[in-house]
Structures are given as C-alpha cells and as structure tokens.
Amino acid sequence: MEELGQPAYRFKQIKLAAYRDLEDGFSAIDNIPLTLRLDLDRLLPFSELALKMEQKSRDGSVKALFATLDGVSIESVLIPYGDGTRTVCVSTEVGCQADCAFCATGHLGFARVLTPSEIVEQVLHFARVLKAKGERVTNVVFMGEGEPFLNYDNVKSAIQMLNDKDGFNLGQRRISVSTSGIVPGIERFSAEDWQVNLAISLHAPVNGLRSILMPINRTYPLEQLMPALDAYVAKTNRKLMIEYLMLGGLNDSAHNADALADLIHKYKEVLRLSVVNLIVYNPVKDSSGRPDRFKAPRPASLRVFEEILTKREIDWTRRASFGSDISGACGQLAGEVAPKTEEPGESTST
Ligand code: SAH
Ligand code: SF4
C-alpha cells in the first residue's frame, strides 16, 4: 500500500473485503476511493487463481478447476452434506511428491507447492458461491491434491488466514488436515497451540504392504509413525482420524482387519481416541488407458472387516463418497481438463 502512496489501513480494508465480506474484485470495495480501485485493478490481480471450469456431481458436490498465475492447474471440491455441513476440500500442492500407488494425484508427479493465498482462495471461491444462496462454508479439509506436511509453512499460514477472527473466521475445530505420514510434520502439528484436527492415511497395518502402497512408508515406517501419532493424541487429547482405504483383495481381508486392530491396540492413546474411517477405493483414470490396478472391496469383505473392528472394540465409520462421477472423490483429483459441463457464471476470477 505504501508503494501506492496509501495508508496502511487500506490494506486492512481490502483484506476484510476479500476474506470477510467475500467481495470478488477491487471494484466491489466501495469504502476505498474509486481512483485507488482503478489503480489496483490495473496493477494487481485480485486473486491468484482463475476459475477455469466447474462440474457438478449428481450428489450435489461441485469440483472446481483453477489456473494459477503461472499457468498450472489445481482442483478443489465442495461437498454439501445432508445435515447442512458445507465442506471444502482444498489442494495444497500441484501434484504430490508422495506417489501413492492408488492415487491419481500421485500419478501426476509433482510441480510445486501452493502459496497460502492459493490455498485460501480455493475456499473463498466456494464461500462466494454459497453466499449467493445464503449459505456459508462450515468446514475445510486439507485432503485435495498434495501432501500438506511437505508444504507445512504455507499450510499453517493458510490455516491461520482461514481462522483469523478479523477475516474468514472459521473455527479451528472445523479444519482438518490429512497426511500420508510425514513424521516430522506430525510432530510439528502436535506442538501447535491450536484445535485443528489431524487425519492419517494409514491404509495398511503392516510395513510390507504399506511400503508397496505408499512409498513414504520406507522413510517413515510404522514403528516411527505410530509413536508419533500416540504422542499427538497424548499431547492434544484430540480425536485422531485413521483413514483406511479398502482395496479389494489387497488390504480388505479378515486377517488385515485383525492386524489393524492389533496395531491400534499396541498404542494406548491412539486406541483411546481414534476412529477408523473406511474409504472404499474410487477408480482412478490412467492416462495411458491401462486398466486400473486396484478395485473396490466386495460388500461382503467390507462387512466382515467392519464386524471384526467392532468385535475388537475399534471405533469406525464408513466414509460416504462424493463426486466420483466427476472425478472429484478422494484420490481422483488430478487437475485434468475434462469437457465443460457447467458454466462457472459471469466472473472468471475467484
Ligand atoms: N495427501 C494427503 C491428503 C490428500 S488425499 C493424504 O494422503 O492423506 C485424501 C485421502 O484420499 C487420503 O486418505 C488418500 O489416501 C485417499 N485416496 C487416495 N487415492 C484414493 C482413491 N483412488 N480412492 C479413495 N481414496 C483415495
Ligand atoms: Fe499424495 Fe495423498 Fe495422493 Fe499419496 S494419497 S499421492 S500423499 S495426495
């Protein structure tokens, strides 16, 4: 602002307009002088993301594809739950370094991390869409493209921006971060003075299988990961979500369910305050046209798995999948540009 010869409080006015009032351009900020609005429009992009496409799923979820200023694309999803919850799933990186075998994002490779503004602007886009209908974003999950803990500083800034009382003002308890198991990130997260939720993508109860599915397990195997999670629960006294992706014939047997229960029972704090969230595999498109290497579990295996967890006194839920018909479900986000099915509306900037 000083460069433009403006007092510092102008910056605050603009910030409030963007984050609290959800304005979509400098021209809409009517408490700053018109000449300044015109100057800003000429000199600066209002947003670092441009909306390229939106697709609406049969189940009501909406996937948005954005282009960044340097021309890469990222995706985010709005999930409207029946209870009125409006959850935005944001990406934290363009692609992902972790390269999990079952994940479309991993198959993309890795381009770069996203900035705090690029992360927050994904939420602001959907907040504006919802505002027009008299609704608001109630939850944000860091479960889109990318590994949040390989972009820790920017993810932390984005969380602080979303939580800012003088800005977007989203409660910390309404924010969740999912990691594939970056132990130093989990340790840093545990030491934060906040109420943000943590989810761990476990997906296999033993190292052999987990390393095949998730190469990151070779760097941070279960004997490092599990104590870090135990320490997280002990320190924060917050419930840990353990995500377990069910892959037919691979990790969905009764034996796997018992091994998962054994693992959790070994770590008393995790056992005390965790819930296993069973995710049914969503098919991932392979650009080479090869058939998918993985498949969803049979309903009968899922039932047996759930029964064993119940018998072993493990708290579990089954994740309802949203947006699989528009490749917007867990693991399907890959910044792909599919044929346009719905106009994004008048504005192309977010
Ligand atoms: N990188 C982070 C967060 C994003 S992925 C992580 O891995 O935790 C969000 C969740 O979707 C993770 O649990 C991930 O393992 C899961 N997932 C990945 N590919 C999937 C697929 N094809 N079907 C269902 N879930 C998938
Ligand atoms: Fe990255 Fe998560 Fe996909 Fe693994 S599942 S490749 S960590 S986005």
Side-chain angles (χ1 to χ4, degrees):
M1 282 299 116
E2 278 100 62
E3 291 90 336
L4 291 169
Q6 294 294 323
Y9 69 83
R10 293 278 183 233
F11 179 74
K12 185 147 192 217
Q13 285 176 308
I14 294 169
K15 198 179 106 184
L16 281 180
Y19 292 97
R20 188 194 61 193
D21 306 335
L22 304 175
E23 301 295 5
D24 62 359
F26 294 116
S27 52
I29 310 176
D30 52 16
N31 57 350
I32 62 173
L34 179 61
T35 48
L36 176 60
R37 278 184 256 165
L38 295 173
D39 279 348
L40 288 169
D41 262 336
R42 203 163 34 81
L43 296 170
L44 294 174
F46 184 74
S47 165
E48 290 183 28
L49 297 182
L51 179 64
K52 287 297 174 195
M53 185 180 72
E54 261 185 345
Q55 283 179 288
K56 194 161 182 186
S57 162
R58 282 190 293 275
D59 58 32
S61 60
V62 182
K63 180 172 77 168
L65 175 80
F66 301 99
T68 60
L69 293 176
D70 61 349
V72 291
S73 56
I74 53 163
E75 294 183 327
S76 328
V77 185
L78 169 70
I79 308 156
Y81 291 97
D83 64 357
T85 306
R86 299 287 175 265
T87 300
V88 177
C89 175
V90 294
S91 293
T92 55
E93 300 184 313
V94 185
C96 183
Q97 305 95 314
D99 199 21
C100 301
F102 43 76
C103 174
T105 308
H107 299 173
L108 272 185
F110 170 71
R112 67 169 173 85
V113 300
L114 294 180
T115 65
S117 316
E118 287 169 335
I119 298 171
V120 171
E121 283 175 16
Q122 299 169 57
V123 181
L124 295 182
H125 164 71
F126 286 116
R128 287 194 288 267
V129 171
L130 289 173
K131 188 181 172 194
K133 298 196 280 183
E135 297 181 356
R136 58 194 308 265
V137 172
T138 60
N139 296 72
V140 172
V141 294
F142 288 71
M143 296 189 185
E145 291 168 56
E147 168 46 59
F149 288 171
L150 293 177
N151 185 19
Y152 196 100
D153 291 336
N154 290 353
V155 165
K156 179 175 175 176
S157 300
I159 290 173
Q160 288 166 333
M161 285 158 79
L162 290 170
N163 180 232
D164 184 359
K165 296 263 171 311
D166 295 325
F168 195 71
N169 195 20
L170 183 71
Q172 292 175 354
R173 289 185 175 82
R174 294 175 172 276
I175 300 174
S176 303
V177 179
S178 172
T179 180
S180 56
I182 311 293
V183 169
I186 295 169
E187 288 167 351
R188 233 182 122 180
F189 193 89
S190 309
E192 300 288 359
D193 182 21
W194 64 22
Q195 310 289 315
V196 179
N197 302 299
L198 180 65
I200 173 74
S201 296
L202 192 64
H203 306 335
V206 291
N207 280 323
L209 181 57
R210 193 163 191 271
S211 293
I212 293 172
L213 298 175
M214 306 176 74
I216 198 76
N217 192 69
R218 294 181 203 139
T219 312
Y220 304 112
L222 291 170
E223 55 279 13
Q224 288 180 32
L225 175 62
M226 294 305 293
L229 296 172
D230 217 41
Y232 163 79
V233 177
K235 160 89 192 341
T236 61
N237 208 29
R238 295 192 65 72
K239 193 173 241 182
L240 172 73
M241 190 205 281
I242 299 177
E243 296 161 286
Y244 193 94
L245 173 61
M246 302 283 284
L247 300 162
L250 265 180
N251 66 356
D252 64 339
S253 69
H255 177 71
N256 297 134
D258 266 314
L260 177 60
D262 289 345
L263 181 71
I264 295 175
H265 274 274
K266 258 174 77 181
Y267 295 91
K268 294 295 165 241
E269 292 295 307
V270 173
L271 177 65
R272 181 172 69 85
L273 262 187
S274 66
V275 54
V276 173
N277 192 207
L278 297 171
I279 310 172
V280 171
Y281 175 68
N282 291 308
V284 164
K285 268 192 231 133
D286 184 331
S287 48
S288 68
R290 274 190 310 241
D292 207 336
R293 291 154 64 200
F294 301 103
K295 53 182 194 291
R298 294 203 325 271
S301 329
L302 202 51
R303 260 197 320 277
V304 170
F305 202 97
E306 290 168 350
E307 277 164 20
I308 293 174
L309 293 185
T310 304
K311 209 163 63 215
R312 302 282 311 268
E313 296 181 341
I314 305 284
D315 199 4
W316 63 267
T317 58
R318 199 191 293 187
R319 177 176 296 178
S321 183
F322 278 82
S324 55
D325 56 326
I326 53 167
S327 290
C330 287
Q332 293 183 320
L333 297 187
E336 66 179 359
V337 183
K340 209 167 192 168
T341 58
E342 190 169 289
E343 288 298 323
E346 301 283 311
S347 159
T348 52
S349 76
T350 65

